[in-house]
């Protein structure tokens, strides 16, 4: 079945440093979505990428979708303590499965 | 955005008993809802896809007789963990999409199940 791999699993950064998490799918995706989950909370949608090579920005966050639609990345510039949480990518294939396949997530820990 | 309400948020039950978790879409109709399970500091694992008015579709390895899913209306799906065991202790989360397949998922608040 489809697998979505995400690295790194944990990332410690100093406040103000940049952060990147990478996502790679074993199959071509129709779209990829990114979610953020705060400790004790539920996943919250951040963005969806659909087009090959697409790049989207949300303030300090930059999302990319690879040309082959099999990989994606999330980059945060100048991290702040409010960025703490786990970032998940989730892929949707064009096949029969309708549920999202989540990566394992990257836990972002920020040291002030 | 759309709101999905999940209840209860926390439940503690004894081994052998059953627990029902409700997932409601409050301001939209959800023909399809999804149930996930999440272990501490791990990812969300899709358990099953709940289809309104029909049987749920379970992922490989998920026991359908143990995790009973009912989607009787366009706004309510329930997950019943039957004959619960301590290993069923986990965080269960439901989600729903407004329409189509290329739309964001809205998640319920999750249910922390502890089986003692």
């Amino acid at each position: 079945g489809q697998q979505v791999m995400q690295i790194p699993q944990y990332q410690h950064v100093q406040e103000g440093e940049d952060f990147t998490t990478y996502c790679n799918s074993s199959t071509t995706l129709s779209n990829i979505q990114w979610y953020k989950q705060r400790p004790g909370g539920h996943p919250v949608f951040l963005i969806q990428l659909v087009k090959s090579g697409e790049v989207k920005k949300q303030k300090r966050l930059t999302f990319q979708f690879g040309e082959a639609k099999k990989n994606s990345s999330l980059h945060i510039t100048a991290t702040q303590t409010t960025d703490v949480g786990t970032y998940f990518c989730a892929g949707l294939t064009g096949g029969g499965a309708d549920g999202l396949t989540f990566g394992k997530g990257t836990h972002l820990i920020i040291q002030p | 955005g759309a709101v999905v309400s999940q209840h209860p948020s926390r439940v503690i039950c004894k081994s052998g008993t059953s627990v029902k978790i409700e997932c409601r879409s409050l301001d939209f109709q959800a023909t399809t809802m999804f149930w996930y399970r999440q272990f501490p500091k791990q990812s969300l694992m899709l358990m099953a896809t709940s289809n309104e008015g029909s049987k749920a579709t379970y992922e490989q390895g998920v026991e359908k007789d143990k995790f009973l899913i009912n989607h009787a209306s366009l706004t309510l799906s329930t997950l019943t963990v039957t004959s619960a065991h301590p290993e069923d202790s986990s965080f269960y989360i439901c989600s729903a999409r407004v329409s189509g397949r290329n739309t964001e998922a809205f998640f319920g608040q999750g249910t922390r199940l502890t089986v003692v």
Side-chain angles (χ1 to χ4, degrees), chain A residues 31 35 37 48 92 97-98 103, chain B residues 38 43 97 101-103 105 108:
Chain A
N31 73 52
Y35 293 81
Q37 184 176 23
Q48 174 178 274
L92 193 63
D98 205 29
Chain B
Q38 186 178 35
S43 188
R97 297 205 198 101
R101 300 181 69 246
N102 278 348
T103 58

Side-chain angles (χ1 to χ4, degrees), chain A residues 10-14 84-85 107-111:
Chain A
Y10 291 91
Q11 183 74 61
H12 293 78
V13 300
Q14 293 286 126
V84 164
H107 304 269
L108 175 59
I109 299 110
I110 298 176
Q111 295 153 343

Side-chain angles (χ1 to χ4, degrees), chain A residues 10 22 26 28 33 39 46 54 61 64 69 71-72 78 93:
Chain A
Y10 291 91
Y22 301 90
S26 58
T28 302
Q33 301 176 9
L46 293 178
E54 190 170 14
L61 278 61
Q64 292 188 331
K69 300 184 72 174
N71 56 71
S72 181
T93 66

